[in-house]
Amino acid sequence: MAEKASIQFLKWSPLYEKERPFQIFMDILPDAQDKRKTNLAWDEKDVLVEDFRERADDFQVDTHGFTTRRLPGFTELSDKDMIQTEYIPAVKKMLKESLQDVGTVFVFDWRVRSSRSESTADKINFSDQSQPLLPSNYAHIDACPISILQRIQSSFPQDVSKILQQRIRAVNVWKPLYHPVEEWALAVCDGTTVKPADLVETDSIRQGSISTNYYVKYDEDQKWYFLKEQTPDEALIFKHFDSEPDVEAHYAVHSSIRHHHVPENAKPRKSIEVRTLIFSETFE
C-alpha cells in the first residue's frame, strides 16, 4: 500500500557554483559582514511512499541501502544510562546478526527526537544527546565520505591506516518509542534510484566543527518506502556510506514525511536513532 506525503528537497541554485551550500548552527558574530546562516533553498514535493512491510525480505542494506529488523524490548528508554548500557549493546548485537561482513560496530552518536519538541535549529544543544530534536523533513544523507574519514581519524588516530584497508560502512538504526508512529514517519529512498548528481554536498557549521552531509535534489525516478504505523519493535536500518565498490546500493536517502492525513488526536512521534561505523575486521 502506498500513500502520498511531502518532503523538502534541495532547490538547486547557480549560487552553488560560486560558493558551497552551507548551514550555520550557532550565533553569527555581531561585526560579521555576512549575516546569513544558510544559503539553502527548498522545494517541497509530494512523493509516493510505499509501505514495504509485506515485502521486507526483498529490501536489504546491500541491495537497496536499507532494511528492517525486529528489536523488541525497548519501547521506553527513560534515561541516558539505559540507552548506553542496555539499548546500544542490543543495537550492536542486532547489526552483527543482521548484516554481513561485520567485525566491529562503533557507535559514535545517538539522538532522541520528538515531533512536539520545543527545540528549534537556533536552540539545539548538540552536545546534549538527550535533548529531543524535531523530525527532519529534508531529504538527506547524514555524512559525506570526507566526514566519515574525519570521524575515523578523530576516534581511531592510531588505527587509521588499518581501518582504511578494510570495508567501512556508516549505518543508522532508527525506531519509534512508546507507541506506533502516527505522524512524521521516517521514510527511506531506494539507493539504486538516487543518481550521484542528485546529491549536493553541504557544510554544517557548529561551534568548533565543520561537517559535511548530502542534501538531495528531487527526481521523479526516486522510490520512497516506509513502515506504515511503524511500531517500537520495528527498527529501520539504513546506510549512508559503503566503501565496498561492488554493492548495488551505497546509501539510502532518508527523511521524515509530512502526511497529508493525520488524525486530530494523533500522538506525537518519539524516536531514537543510533549512528554507527561498521568495520569488517575486529579490533578494539
Side-chain angles (χ1 to χ4, degrees), residues 157-193:
Q158 305 303 318
D159 296 302
V160 174
S161 60
K162 178 181 177 180
I163 291 172
L164 295 181
Q165 295 176 34
Q166 56 190 279
R167 185 180 183 184
I168 303 167
R169 282 165 288 180
V171 174
N172 278 23
V173 176
W174 185 98
K175 78 180 201 71
L177 298 172
Y178 300 103
H179 51 76
V181 175
E182 298 180 10
E183 62 175 14
W184 296 109
L186 188 71
V188 286
C189 186
D190 180 350
T192 65
T193 70

PDB file of all heavy atoms in Angstrom, residues 157-193:
ATOM      1  N   PRO A 157      42.866   7.417  16.057  1.00  0.00           N
ATOM      2  CA  PRO A 157      44.074   8.030  15.474  1.00  0.00           C
ATOM      3  C   PRO A 157      45.222   7.040  15.255  1.00  0.00           C
ATOM      4  O   PRO A 157      46.035   7.248  14.344  1.00  0.00           O
ATOM      5  CB  PRO A 157      44.449   9.111  16.488  1.00  0.00           C
ATOM      6  CG  PRO A 157      43.770   8.716  17.763  1.00  0.00           C
ATOM      7  CD  PRO A 157      42.505   8.039  17.352  1.00  0.00           C
ATOM      8  N   GLN A 158      45.293   5.983  16.065  1.00  0.00           N
ATOM      9  CA  GLN A 158      46.385   5.020  15.925  1.00  0.00           C
ATOM     10  C   GLN A 158      46.088   3.931  14.898  1.00  0.00           C
ATOM     11  O   GLN A 158      46.991   3.161  14.539  1.00  0.00           O
ATOM     12  CB  GLN A 158      46.669   4.368  17.297  1.00  0.00           C
ATOM     13  CG  GLN A 158      46.953   5.343  18.419  1.00  0.00           C
ATOM     14  CD  GLN A 158      48.114   6.263  18.129  1.00  0.00           C
ATOM     15  OE1 GLN A 158      49.148   5.827  17.602  1.00  0.00           O
ATOM     16  NE2 GLN A 158      47.967   7.543  18.452  1.00  0.00           N
ATOM     17  N   ASP A 159      44.833   3.829  14.455  1.00  0.00           N
ATOM     18  CA  ASP A 159      44.428   2.701  13.603  1.00  0.00           C
ATOM     19  C   ASP A 159      43.916   3.136  12.236  1.00  0.00           C
ATOM     20  O   ASP A 159      43.314   2.337  11.526  1.00  0.00           O
ATOM     21  CB  ASP A 159      43.329   1.887  14.305  1.00  0.00           C
ATOM     22  CG  ASP A 159      43.826   1.256  15.591  1.00  0.00           C
ATOM     23  OD1 ASP A 159      44.806   0.496  15.521  1.00  0.00           O
ATOM     24  OD2 ASP A 159      43.226   1.521  16.655  1.00  0.00           O
ATOM     25  N   VAL A 160      44.137   4.387  11.866  1.00  0.00           N
ATOM     26  CA  VAL A 160      43.555   4.900  10.625  1.00  0.00           C
ATOM     27  C   VAL A 160      43.985   4.070   9.419  1.00  0.00           C
ATOM     28  O   VAL A 160      43.146   3.639   8.612  1.00  0.00           O
ATOM     29  CB  VAL A 160      43.936   6.382  10.411  1.00  0.00           C
ATOM     30  CG1 VAL A 160      43.453   6.856   9.040  1.00  0.00           C
ATOM     31  CG2 VAL A 160      43.327   7.250  11.511  1.00  0.00           C
ATOM     32  N   SER A 161      45.266   3.828   9.278  1.00  0.00           N
ATOM     33  CA  SER A 161      45.744   3.101   8.093  1.00  0.00           C
ATOM     34  C   SER A 161      45.187   1.691   8.046  1.00  0.00           C
ATOM     35  O   SER A 161      44.833   1.186   6.972  1.00  0.00           O
ATOM     36  CB  SER A 161      47.272   3.076   8.069  1.00  0.00           C
ATOM     37  OG  SER A 161      47.784   2.427   9.224  1.00  0.00           O
ATOM     38  N   LYS A 162      45.052   1.045   9.198  1.00  0.00           N
ATOM     39  CA  LYS A 162      44.490  -0.305   9.255  1.00  0.00           C
ATOM     40  C   LYS A 162      43.017  -0.299   8.856  1.00  0.00           C
ATOM     41  O   LYS A 162      42.556  -1.146   8.083  1.00  0.00           O
ATOM     42  CB  LYS A 162      44.656  -0.881  10.657  1.00  0.00           C
ATOM     43  CG  LYS A 162      44.060  -2.275  10.843  1.00  0.00           C
ATOM     44  CD  LYS A 162      44.239  -2.759  12.268  1.00  0.00           C
ATOM     45  CE  LYS A 162      43.581  -4.120  12.468  1.00  0.00           C
ATOM     46  NZ  LYS A 162      43.744  -4.598  13.876  1.00  0.00           N
ATOM     47  N   ILE A 163      42.270   0.676   9.379  1.00  0.00           N
ATOM     48  CA  ILE A 163      40.836   0.744   9.090  1.00  0.00           C
ATOM     49  C   ILE A 163      40.594   1.025   7.610  1.00  0.00           C
ATOM     50  O   ILE A 163      39.695   0.440   6.990  1.00  0.00           O
ATOM     51  CB  ILE A 163      40.169   1.825   9.973  1.00  0.00           C
ATOM     52  CG1 ILE A 163      40.164   1.376  11.433  1.00  0.00           C
ATOM     53  CG2 ILE A 163      38.744   2.116   9.494  1.00  0.00           C
ATOM     54  CD1 ILE A 163      39.695   2.443  12.405  1.00  0.00           C
ATOM     55  N   LEU A 164      41.398   1.884   7.027  1.00  0.00           N
ATOM     56  CA  LEU A 164      41.186   2.266   5.631  1.00  0.00           C
ATOM     57  C   LEU A 164      41.487   1.132   4.649  1.00  0.00           C
ATOM     58  O   LEU A 164      41.168   1.246   3.464  1.00  0.00           O
ATOM     59  CB  LEU A 164      42.022   3.494   5.281  1.00  0.00           C
ATOM     60  CG  LEU A 164      41.644   4.784   6.011  1.00  0.00           C
ATOM     61  CD1 LEU A 164      42.524   5.929   5.550  1.00  0.00           C
ATOM     62  CD2 LEU A 164      40.178   5.120   5.826  1.00  0.00           C
ATOM     63  N   GLN A 165      42.050   0.046   5.134  1.00  0.00           N
ATOM     64  CA  GLN A 165      42.315  -1.099   4.279  1.00  0.00           C
ATOM     65  C   GLN A 165      41.180  -2.119   4.297  1.00  0.00           C
ATOM     66  O   GLN A 165      41.234  -3.121   3.596  1.00  0.00           O
ATOM     67  CB  GLN A 165      43.618  -1.791   4.722  1.00  0.00           C
ATOM     68  CG  GLN A 165      44.851  -0.921   4.542  1.00  0.00           C
ATOM     69  CD  GLN A 165      46.103  -1.582   5.077  1.00  0.00           C
ATOM     70  OE1 GLN A 165      46.247  -2.796   5.013  1.00  0.00           O
ATOM     71  NE2 GLN A 165      47.022  -0.779   5.603  1.00  0.00           N
ATOM     72  N   GLN A 166      40.147  -1.860   5.096  1.00  0.00           N
ATOM     73  CA  GLN A 166      39.032  -2.797   5.187  1.00  0.00           C
ATOM     74  C   GLN A 166      37.730  -2.139   4.739  1.00  0.00           C
ATOM     75  O   GLN A 166      37.709  -0.960   4.373  1.00  0.00           O
ATOM     76  CB  GLN A 166      38.897  -3.320   6.612  1.00  0.00           C
ATOM     77  CG  GLN A 166      38.733  -2.227   7.661  1.00  0.00           C
ATOM     78  CD  GLN A 166      38.852  -2.764   9.067  1.00  0.00           C
ATOM     79  OE1 GLN A 166      37.898  -3.308   9.611  1.00  0.00           O
ATOM     80  NE2 GLN A 166      40.031  -2.606   9.671  1.00  0.00           N
ATOM     81  N   ARG A 167      36.672  -2.905   4.743  1.00  0.00           N
ATOM     82  CA  ARG A 167      35.367  -2.359   4.367  1.00  0.00           C
ATOM     83  C   ARG A 167      34.843  -1.472   5.488  1.00  0.00           C
ATOM     84  O   ARG A 167      34.860  -1.839   6.663  1.00  0.00           O
ATOM     85  CB  ARG A 167      34.369  -3.486   4.098  1.00  0.00           C
ATOM     86  CG  ARG A 167      33.029  -2.987   3.583  1.00  0.00           C
ATOM     87  CD  ARG A 167      32.062  -4.137   3.339  1.00  0.00           C
ATOM     88  NE  ARG A 167      30.807  -3.662   2.782  1.00  0.00           N
ATOM     89  CZ  ARG A 167      29.744  -4.452   2.548  1.00  0.00           C
ATOM     90  NH1 ARG A 167      29.812  -5.755   2.809  1.00  0.00           N
ATOM     91  NH2 ARG A 167      28.639  -3.947   2.030  1.00  0.00           N
ATOM     92  N   ILE A 168      34.348  -0.303   5.101  1.00  0.00           N
ATOM     93  CA  ILE A 168      33.826   0.681   6.045  1.00  0.00           C
ATOM     94  C   ILE A 168      32.400   1.030   5.640  1.00  0.00           C
ATOM     95  O   ILE A 168      32.134   1.325   4.472  1.00  0.00           O
ATOM     96  CB  ILE A 168      34.680   1.965   6.047  1.00  0.00           C
ATOM     97  CG1 ILE A 168      36.144   1.654   6.383  1.00  0.00           C
ATOM     98  CG2 ILE A 168      34.108   2.994   7.018  1.00  0.00           C
ATOM     99  CD1 ILE A 168      37.082   2.802   6.091  1.00  0.00           C
ATOM    100  N   ARG A 169      31.497   0.998   6.606  1.00  0.00           N
ATOM    101  CA  ARG A 169      30.121   1.426   6.359  1.00  0.00           C
ATOM    102  C   ARG A 169      29.664   2.390   7.455  1.00  0.00           C
ATOM    103  O   ARG A 169      30.082   2.259   8.606  1.00  0.00           O
ATOM    104  CB  ARG A 169      29.172   0.219   6.329  1.00  0.00           C
ATOM    105  CG  ARG A 169      29.192  -0.574   5.046  1.00  0.00           C
ATOM    106  CD  ARG A 169      28.528  -1.928   5.194  1.00  0.00           C
ATOM    107  NE  ARG A 169      29.350  -2.830   5.983  1.00  0.00           N
ATOM    108  CZ  ARG A 169      29.013  -4.080   6.264  1.00  0.00           C
ATOM    109  NH1 ARG A 169      27.868  -4.569   5.849  1.00  0.00           N
ATOM    110  NH2 ARG A 169      29.820  -4.847   6.975  1.00  0.00           N
ATOM    111  N   ALA A 170      28.848   3.327   7.088  1.00  0.00           N
ATOM    112  CA  ALA A 170      28.164   4.183   8.053  1.00  0.00           C
ATOM    113  C   ALA A 170      26.691   3.801   8.024  1.00  0.00           C
ATOM    114  O   ALA A 170      26.041   3.901   6.982  1.00  0.00           O
ATOM    115  CB  ALA A 170      28.353   5.659   7.702  1.00  0.00           C
ATOM    116  N   VAL A 171      26.188   3.338   9.168  1.00  0.00           N
ATOM    117  CA  VAL A 171      24.844   2.758   9.226  1.00  0.00           C
ATOM    118  C   VAL A 171      24.096   3.336  10.423  1.00  0.00           C
ATOM    119  O   VAL A 171      24.654   3.428  11.526  1.00  0.00           O
ATOM    120  CB  VAL A 171      24.918   1.219   9.346  1.00  0.00           C
ATOM    121  CG1 VAL A 171      23.527   0.618   9.548  1.00  0.00           C
ATOM    122  CG2 VAL A 171      25.580   0.607   8.112  1.00  0.00           C
ATOM    123  N   ASN A 172      22.844   3.705  10.200  1.00  0.00           N
ATOM    124  CA  ASN A 172      21.965   4.166  11.279  1.00  0.00           C
ATOM    125  C   ASN A 172      20.914   3.120  11.613  1.00  0.00           C
ATOM    126  O   ASN A 172      20.464   2.374  10.729  1.00  0.00           O
ATOM    127  CB  ASN A 172      21.234   5.451  10.875  1.00  0.00           C
ATOM    128  CG  ASN A 172      22.075   6.691  11.064  1.00  0.00           C
ATOM    129  OD1 ASN A 172      23.309   6.623  11.084  1.00  0.00           O
ATOM    130  ND2 ASN A 172      21.413   7.844  11.172  1.00  0.00           N
ATOM    131  N   VAL A 173      20.517   3.111  12.875  1.00  0.00           N
ATOM    132  CA  VAL A 173      19.380   2.298  13.327  1.00  0.00           C
ATOM    133  C   VAL A 173      18.366   3.257  13.946  1.00  0.00           C
ATOM    134  O   VAL A 173      18.698   4.007  14.870  1.00  0.00           O
ATOM    135  CB  VAL A 173      19.814   1.233  14.349  1.00  0.00           C
ATOM    136  CG1 VAL A 173      18.600   0.481  14.880  1.00  0.00           C
ATOM    137  CG2 VAL A 173      20.814   0.264  13.720  1.00  0.00           C
ATOM    138  N   TRP A 174      17.147   3.233  13.439  1.00  0.00           N
ATOM    139  CA  TRP A 174      16.094   4.173  13.863  1.00  0.00           C
ATOM    140  C   TRP A 174      14.848   3.396  14.243  1.00  0.00           C
ATOM    141  O   TRP A 174      14.451   2.457  13.528  1.00  0.00           O
ATOM    142  CB  TRP A 174      15.771   5.129  12.710  1.00  0.00           C
ATOM    143  CG  TRP A 174      14.799   6.237  13.023  1.00  0.00           C
ATOM    144  CD1 TRP A 174      15.110   7.517  13.337  1.00  0.00           C
ATOM    145  CD2 TRP A 174      13.363   6.159  13.035  1.00  0.00           C
ATOM    146  NE1 TRP A 174      13.954   8.252  13.551  1.00  0.00           N
ATOM    147  CE2 TRP A 174      12.865   7.444  13.369  1.00  0.00           C
ATOM    148  CE3 TRP A 174      12.439   5.131  12.800  1.00  0.00           C
ATOM    149  CZ2 TRP A 174      11.506   7.726  13.476  1.00  0.00           C
ATOM    150  CZ3 TRP A 174      11.073   5.407  12.905  1.00  0.00           C
ATOM    151  CH2 TRP A 174      10.619   6.694  13.233  1.00  0.00           C
ATOM    152  N   LYS A 175      14.232   3.785  15.345  1.00  0.00           N
ATOM    153  CA  LYS A 175      12.954   3.173  15.699  1.00  0.00           C
ATOM    154  C   LYS A 175      12.140   4.115  16.585  1.00  0.00           C
ATOM    155  O   LYS A 175      12.695   4.968  17.285  1.00  0.00           O
ATOM    156  CB  LYS A 175      13.156   1.827  16.394  1.00  0.00           C
ATOM    157  CG  LYS A 175      13.549   1.879  17.846  1.00  0.00           C
ATOM    158  CD  LYS A 175      13.715   0.479  18.390  1.00  0.00           C
ATOM    159  CE  LYS A 175      13.609   0.434  19.912  1.00  0.00           C
ATOM    160  NZ  LYS A 175      12.244   0.669  20.390  1.00  0.00           N
ATOM    161  N   PRO A 176      10.814   3.961  16.539  1.00  0.00           N
ATOM    162  CA  PRO A 176       9.957   4.782  17.399  1.00  0.00           C
ATOM    163  C   PRO A 176       9.981   4.281  18.837  1.00  0.00           C
ATOM    164  O   PRO A 176      10.374   3.148  19.115  1.00  0.00           O
ATOM    165  CB  PRO A 176       8.566   4.620  16.775  1.00  0.00           C
ATOM    166  CG  PRO A 176       8.622   3.324  16.046  1.00  0.00           C
ATOM    167  CD  PRO A 176      10.036   3.130  15.614  1.00  0.00           C
ATOM    168  N   LEU A 177       9.528   5.138  19.734  1.00  0.00           N
ATOM    169  CA  LEU A 177       9.385   4.807  21.140  1.00  0.00           C
ATOM    170  C   LEU A 177       7.927   4.960  21.567  1.00  0.00           C
ATOM    171  O   LEU A 177       7.169   5.723  20.967  1.00  0.00           O
ATOM    172  CB  LEU A 177      10.270   5.714  22.001  1.00  0.00           C
ATOM    173  CG  LEU A 177      11.787   5.633  21.752  1.00  0.00           C
ATOM    174  CD1 LEU A 177      12.505   6.731  22.541  1.00  0.00           C
ATOM    175  CD2 LEU A 177      12.326   4.259  22.128  1.00  0.00           C
ATOM    176  N   TYR A 178       7.530   4.206  22.576  1.00  0.00           N
ATOM    177  CA  TYR A 178       6.266   4.325  23.290  1.00  0.00           C
ATOM    178  C   TYR A 178       5.055   3.781  22.537  1.00  0.00           C
ATOM    179  O   TYR A 178       4.238   3.058  23.102  1.00  0.00           O
ATOM    180  CB  TYR A 178       5.986   5.779  23.714  1.00  0.00           C
ATOM    181  CG  TYR A 178       7.049   6.335  24.618  1.00  0.00           C
ATOM    182  CD1 TYR A 178       8.006   7.216  24.140  1.00  0.00           C
ATOM    183  CD2 TYR A 178       7.114   5.961  25.952  1.00  0.00           C
ATOM    184  CE1 TYR A 178       9.001   7.716  24.966  1.00  0.00           C
ATOM    185  CE2 TYR A 178       8.105   6.457  26.792  1.00  0.00           C
ATOM    186  CZ  TYR A 178       9.047   7.330  26.290  1.00  0.00           C
ATOM    187  OH  TYR A 178      10.034   7.805  27.100  1.00  0.00           O
ATOM    188  N   HIS A 179       4.909   4.120  21.252  1.00  0.00           N
ATOM    189  CA  HIS A 179       3.701   3.720  20.519  1.00  0.00           C
ATOM    190  C   HIS A 179       3.985   3.778  19.021  1.00  0.00           C
ATOM    191  O   HIS A 179       4.983   4.367  18.590  1.00  0.00           O
ATOM    192  CB  HIS A 179       2.535   4.657  20.869  1.00  0.00           C
ATOM    193  CG  HIS A 179       2.867   6.109  20.724  1.00  0.00           C
ATOM    194  ND1 HIS A 179       2.950   6.744  19.508  1.00  0.00           N
ATOM    195  CD2 HIS A 179       3.169   7.051  21.666  1.00  0.00           C
ATOM    196  CE1 HIS A 179       3.282   8.014  19.686  1.00  0.00           C
ATOM    197  NE2 HIS A 179       3.422   8.236  20.985  1.00  0.00           N
ATOM    198  N   PRO A 180       3.119   3.158  18.200  1.00  0.00           N
ATOM    199  CA  PRO A 180       3.320   3.224  16.745  1.00  0.00           C
ATOM    200  C   PRO A 180       3.294   4.664  16.231  1.00  0.00           C
ATOM    201  O   PRO A 180       2.668   5.546  16.822  1.00  0.00           O
ATOM    202  CB  PRO A 180       2.140   2.412  16.194  1.00  0.00           C
ATOM    203  CG  PRO A 180       1.775   1.483  17.294  1.00  0.00           C
ATOM    204  CD  PRO A 180       2.009   2.256  18.571  1.00  0.00           C
ATOM    205  N   VAL A 181       3.969   4.881  15.127  1.00  0.00           N
ATOM    206  CA  VAL A 181       4.070   6.215  14.542  1.00  0.00           C
ATOM    207  C   VAL A 181       2.745   6.621  13.915  1.00  0.00           C
ATOM    208  O   VAL A 181       2.182   5.893  13.096  1.00  0.00           O
ATOM    209  CB  VAL A 181       5.182   6.260  13.474  1.00  0.00           C
ATOM    210  CG1 VAL A 181       5.215   7.616  12.783  1.00  0.00           C
ATOM    211  CG2 VAL A 181       6.532   5.944  14.103  1.00  0.00           C
ATOM    212  N   GLU A 182       2.249   7.797  14.285  1.00  0.00           N
ATOM    213  CA  GLU A 182       1.009   8.319  13.732  1.00  0.00           C
ATOM    214  C   GLU A 182       1.230   9.605  12.945  1.00  0.00           C
ATOM    215  O   GLU A 182       0.345  10.045  12.204  1.00  0.00           O
ATOM    216  CB  GLU A 182      -0.008   8.554  14.854  1.00  0.00           C
ATOM    217  CG  GLU A 182      -0.395   7.272  15.589  1.00  0.00           C
ATOM    218  CD  GLU A 182      -1.392   7.509  16.706  1.00  0.00           C
ATOM    219  OE1 GLU A 182      -1.946   8.631  16.799  1.00  0.00           O
ATOM    220  OE2 GLU A 182      -1.623   6.578  17.497  1.00  0.00           O
ATOM    221  N   GLU A 183       2.381  10.221  13.106  1.00  0.00           N
ATOM    222  CA  GLU A 183       2.720  11.426  12.355  1.00  0.00           C
ATOM    223  C   GLU A 183       4.238  11.470  12.159  1.00  0.00           C
ATOM    224  O   GLU A 183       5.002  10.923  12.944  1.00  0.00           O
ATOM    225  CB  GLU A 183       2.243  12.694  13.076  1.00  0.00           C
ATOM    226  CG  GLU A 183       2.886  12.911  14.433  1.00  0.00           C
ATOM    227  CD  GLU A 183       2.475  14.228  15.066  1.00  0.00           C
ATOM    228  OE1 GLU A 183       1.506  14.847  14.601  1.00  0.00           O
ATOM    229  OE2 GLU A 183       3.140  14.633  16.042  1.00  0.00           O
ATOM    230  N   TRP A 184       4.660  12.111  11.076  1.00  0.00           N
ATOM    231  CA  TRP A 184       6.079  12.284  10.788  1.00  0.00           C
ATOM    232  C   TRP A 184       6.841  10.961  10.769  1.00  0.00           C
ATOM    233  O   TRP A 184       7.886  10.812  11.408  1.00  0.00           O
ATOM    234  CB  TRP A 184       6.730  13.268  11.767  1.00  0.00           C
ATOM    235  CG  TRP A 184       6.193  14.656  11.667  1.00  0.00           C
ATOM    236  CD1 TRP A 184       5.400  15.294  12.566  1.00  0.00           C
ATOM    237  CD2 TRP A 184       6.389  15.582  10.587  1.00  0.00           C
ATOM    238  NE1 TRP A 184       5.085  16.559  12.124  1.00  0.00           N
ATOM    239  CE2 TRP A 184       5.685  16.753  10.907  1.00  0.00           C
ATOM    240  CE3 TRP A 184       7.098  15.528   9.378  1.00  0.00           C
ATOM    241  CZ2 TRP A 184       5.662  17.871  10.071  1.00  0.00           C
ATOM    242  CZ3 TRP A 184       7.074  16.639   8.547  1.00  0.00           C
ATOM    243  CH2 TRP A 184       6.364  17.784   8.910  1.00  0.00           C
ATOM    244  N   ALA A 185       6.329   9.983  10.026  1.00  0.00           N
ATOM    245  CA  ALA A 185       7.040   8.721   9.862  1.00  0.00           C
ATOM    246  C   ALA A 185       8.375   8.949   9.174  1.00  0.00           C
ATOM    247  O   ALA A 185       8.560   9.928   8.438  1.00  0.00           O
ATOM    248  CB  ALA A 185       6.191   7.746   9.044  1.00  0.00           C
ATOM    249  N   LEU A 186       9.315   8.040   9.397  1.00  0.00           N
ATOM    250  CA  LEU A 186      10.587   8.113   8.695  1.00  0.00           C
ATOM    251  C   LEU A 186      10.504   7.279   7.422  1.00  0.00           C
ATOM    252  O   LEU A 186      10.098   6.120   7.452  1.00  0.00           O
ATOM    253  CB  LEU A 186      11.731   7.593   9.566  1.00  0.00           C
ATOM    254  CG  LEU A 186      13.123   7.813   8.954  1.00  0.00           C
ATOM    255  CD1 LEU A 186      13.497   9.285   8.985  1.00  0.00           C
ATOM    256  CD2 LEU A 186      14.186   6.983   9.662  1.00  0.00           C
ATOM    257  N   ALA A 187      10.902   7.884   6.302  1.00  0.00           N
ATOM    258  CA  ALA A 187      10.913   7.191   5.014  1.00  0.00           C
ATOM    259  C   ALA A 187      12.344   7.105   4.505  1.00  0.00           C
ATOM    260  O   ALA A 187      13.178   7.965   4.799  1.00  0.00           O
ATOM    261  CB  ALA A 187      10.032   7.910   3.997  1.00  0.00           C
ATOM    262  N   VAL A 188      12.607   6.063   3.733  1.00  0.00           N
ATOM    263  CA  VAL A 188      13.925   5.865   3.129  1.00  0.00           C
ATOM    264  C   VAL A 188      13.754   5.713   1.628  1.00  0.00           C
ATOM    265  O   VAL A 188      12.741   5.213   1.149  1.00  0.00           O
ATOM    266  CB  VAL A 188      14.630   4.624   3.719  1.00  0.00           C
ATOM    267  CG1 VAL A 188      15.136   4.910   5.117  1.00  0.00           C
ATOM    268  CG2 VAL A 188      13.716   3.411   3.735  1.00  0.00           C
ATOM    269  N   CYS A 189      14.759   6.155   0.893  1.00  0.00           N
ATOM    270  CA  CYS A 189      14.706   6.110  -0.566  1.00  0.00           C
ATOM    271  C   CYS A 189      15.681   5.058  -1.068  1.00  0.00           C
ATOM    272  O   CYS A 189      16.850   5.041  -0.671  1.00  0.00           O
ATOM    273  CB  CYS A 189      15.058   7.477  -1.143  1.00  0.00           C
ATOM    274  SG  CYS A 189      14.868   7.596  -2.935  1.00  0.00           S
ATOM    275  N   ASP A 190      15.185   4.166  -1.902  1.00  0.00           N
ATOM    276  CA  ASP A 190      16.000   3.116  -2.508  1.00  0.00           C
ATOM    277  C   ASP A 190      17.255   3.738  -3.127  1.00  0.00           C
ATOM    278  O   ASP A 190      17.177   4.555  -4.042  1.00  0.00           O
ATOM    279  CB  ASP A 190      15.162   2.403  -3.566  1.00  0.00           C
ATOM    280  CG  ASP A 190      15.897   1.286  -4.282  1.00  0.00           C
ATOM    281  OD1 ASP A 190      17.116   1.155  -4.110  1.00  0.00           O
ATOM    282  OD2 ASP A 190      15.234   0.533  -5.023  1.00  0.00           O
ATOM    283  N   GLY A 191      18.421   3.337  -2.614  1.00  0.00           N
ATOM    284  CA  GLY A 191      19.657   3.944  -3.068  1.00  0.00           C
ATOM    285  C   GLY A 191      19.950   3.744  -4.541  1.00  0.00           C
ATOM    286  O   GLY A 191      20.662   4.549  -5.150  1.00  0.00           O
ATOM    287  N   THR A 192      19.394   2.685  -5.132  1.00  0.00           N
ATOM    288  CA  THR A 192      19.639   2.443  -6.554  1.00  0.00           C
ATOM    289  C   THR A 192      18.840   3.375  -7.450  1.00  0.00           C
ATOM    290  O   THR A 192      19.061   3.405  -8.660  1.00  0.00           O
ATOM    291  CB  THR A 192      19.318   0.985  -6.927  1.00  0.00           C
ATOM    292  OG1 THR A 192      17.910   0.739  -6.768  1.00  0.00           O
ATOM    293  CG2 THR A 192      20.099   0.009  -6.049  1.00  0.00           C
ATOM    294  N   THR A 193      17.913   4.137  -6.862  1.00  0.00           N
ATOM    295  CA  THR A 193      17.107   5.074  -7.647  1.00  0.00           C
ATOM    296  C   THR A 193      17.571   6.519  -7.468  1.00  0.00           C
ATOM    297  O   THR A 193      16.944   7.430  -8.002  1.00  0.00           O
ATOM    298  CB  THR A 193      15.617   4.975  -7.269  1.00  0.00           C
ATOM    299  OG1 THR A 193      15.410   5.496  -5.942  1.00  0.00           O
ATOM    300  CG2 THR A 193      15.133   3.526  -7.324  1.00  0.00           C
TER     301      THR A 193
END
